[in-house]
Amino acid sequence: MPDQPHTAHPQLFTWEFAADPYPAYAWLRENAPVHRTTLPSGVEAWLVTRYADARQALADSRLSKNPAHHSEQAHRTGRVGIPGERQADLMTHLLNIDPPDHTRLRRLVSKAFTPRRVAEFEPRVQQLTDRLIDSFAERGEVDLIHEFAFPLPIYAICDLLGVPPEDQDDLRDWAGMMLRHTKPGHTGGKRGGVGRAVKHIQGYLADLIHRKRADLGDDLISGLIRASDHGEHLSENEAAAMAFILLFAGFETTINLIGNGVYALLRNPDQRTLLQESLARGESGLLETGIEELLRYDGPVELATWRFATRPLSIGGVDIPAGDPVLVVLAAADRDPDRFSDENTLDLARTDNPHLGFGHGIHYCIGAPLARLEGQRAIGTLLTRLPDLQLAADPAELRWRGGLIMRGLRELPVSFTPR
């Protein structure tokens, strides 16, 4: 066999990489599918990029979600995990624990966060979607991130949790503080804005849970308080941590699903036209498969949340020492040509689509039904009510939010015929 031509290792976690990481991920899949790298935070971690390896790693019990299996110092300074969660005593949520604690907490949370509760929430999501579109439909232009994709999931998850309407703008402000500009790949560290926002949210949720204990309603926080398993209830700290992670994971991911999804459709007009024609006929099938394809093609979560090897193991033939962090690159796995045909093509009708956008295994996203609902209502309604929606900026000038785990646009300016 002739020698393979030498190709340079691509640069990771630069601004250019953030705008389009897929060529670099293709190189890694081909040349270094399980790759040890130094992250911008200084932490060394393994990147897993092939679909088969990613699926294995996401379900491997030897990879712990508990940061205690890694450097205490790295977590305390915010270099791994969610910025500010340790200082705010919000560690005991589903993203940070393993069985048997994970099994117990997930079972309790599932009693409150049921598919029926999400299905019954659909009219409210539609109402919020229409209200937000009404607020800018007469202008003929809007930044879809700032005025649509960001507020929709914030208000939706606040309603679902049971946050009173008069408090929801405070939660929106604190959520905005958590998404302030950062360098690509940087997890946030001890930056004041993020830490203050997390502490504000923690304090508010603790007070809200205390008030609701005395006056339970039909909201999700009341459901968390009621949830019990063989007489065992969530503690107040556990309930606050679970409400926090439902808020945190439930808004940024949906912002990115809507923003990335609309952007992908604007960049693929043939697929956008097919979807609009399907919606005009009153059909829902293409919208449903389309949301799954948008999750695969340019999903809201670029890397799965942190995992740590509890003992030596092998992934893709590469030995991982105990204690090392492992980051599964969902964006790379979901464009693996060994699993997806025409992997770089957006095909809204794709049915063979076991993407990893919501993870895999015991940590599969508990909020997936809500994310699907919000994505379908937001994108379907937007394309129906503003059918001539157009990108109002040069794609090369759009900026992507810096961060290691999530992938999303900072802004998405569009224009349309005023309605």
Side-chain angles (χ1 to χ4, degrees), residues 214-236:
D215 185 20
L216 295 176
D218 192 35
D219 52 81
L220 185 52
I221 286 181
S222 294
L224 290 174
I225 294 170
R226 285 193 189 96
S228 63
D229 189 31
H230 304 297
E232 188 171 16
H233 293 262
L234 289 166
S235 69
E236 288 214 356

Side-chain angles (χ1 to χ4, degrees), residues 5-226:
H6 176 74
T7 55
H9 187 292
Q11 277 195 305
L12 305 177
F13 310 119
T14 64
W15 288 115
E16 293 76 16
F17 170 84
D20 183 11
Y22 296 103
Y25 288 149
W27 189 96
L28 288 176
R29 276 196 313 266
E30 183 67 25
N31 297 279
V34 180
H35 174 65
R36 187 178 176 92
T37 189
T38 301
L39 305 174
S41 63
V43 173
E44 291 191 354
W46 296 89
L47 303 181
V48 179
T49 56
R50 286 181 180 168
Y51 183 88
D53 297 336
R55 235 178 113 85
Q56 173 208 328
L58 290 172
D60 196 321
S61 62
R62 295 170 296 178
L63 291 174
S64 169
K65 298 290 289 174
N66 188 341
H69 290 288
H70 186 50
S71 161
E72 176 79 11
Q73 176 67 17
H75 192 272
R76 190 166 57 249
T77 57
R79 293 192 295 160
V80 303
I82 297 171
E85 64 180 353
R86 175 178 288 274
Q87 290 87 348
D89 194 25
L90 289 169
M91 293 289 297
T92 53
H93 56 69
L94 292 177
L95 294 185
N96 278 346
I97 56 175
D98 305 315
D101 289 335
H102 177 272
T103 308
R104 178 183 68 87
L105 280 184
R106 184 159 182 131
R107 187 163 53 234
L108 287 169
V109 173
S110 296
K111 289 177 179 246
F113 199 37
T114 62
R116 178 182 174 183
R117 185 186 294 273
V118 172
E120 291 174 346
F121 196 55
E122 181 168 4
R124 179 57 177 154
V125 173
Q126 185 64 60
Q127 182 184 34
L128 285 169
T129 301
D130 284 321
R131 188 185 81 190
L132 290 168
I133 294 175
D134 287 344
S135 71
F136 56 75
E138 295 182 357
R139 296 210 311 263
E141 60 181 14
V142 70
D143 174 1
L144 275 181
I145 301 298
H146 180 69
E147 295 192 51
F148 185 65
F150 177 73
L152 175 59
I154 285 289
Y155 290 135
I157 196 66
C158 281
D159 277 356
L160 194 63
L161 287 170
V163 175
E166 61 271 20
D167 296 343
Q168 293 187 4
D169 284 338
D170 286 338
L171 267 293
R172 176 178 173 166
D173 289 344
W174 297 330
M177 289 170 66
M178 293 182 67
L179 297 183
R180 285 294 179 253
H181 299 184
T182 64
K183 296 179 181 179
H186 191 66
T187 56
K190 298 178 76 172
R191 290 193 322 281
V194 175
R196 283 196 303 273
V198 172
K199 287 193 173 183
H200 280 308
I201 293 171
Q202 187 269 346
Y204 176 82
L205 290 174
D207 179 65
L208 183 62
I209 288 167
H210 183 71
R211 284 184 279 142
K212 284 190 178 292
R213 282 194 186 278
D215 185 20
L216 295 176
D218 192 35
D219 52 81
L220 185 52
I221 286 181
S222 294
L224 290 174
I225 294 170
R226 285 193 189 96

Side-chain angles (χ1 to χ4, degrees), residues 364-415:
Y364 184 85
C365 177
I366 199 169
L370 179 61
R372 287 186 169 105
L373 168 61
E374 291 177 331
Q376 290 174 18
R377 292 300 93 220
I379 293 175
T381 305
L382 199 66
L383 294 181
T384 299
R385 293 192 55 186
L386 306 176
D388 61 348
L389 200 68
Q390 298 294 329
L391 188 63
D394 182 344
E397 295 177 356
L398 294 179
R399 297 178 301 160
W400 294 80
R401 192 177 297 113
L404 185 65
I405 302 298
M406 303 292 185
R407 172 166 172 76
L409 287 160
R410 291 175 184 260
E411 68 280 315
L412 183 58
V414 296
S415 59

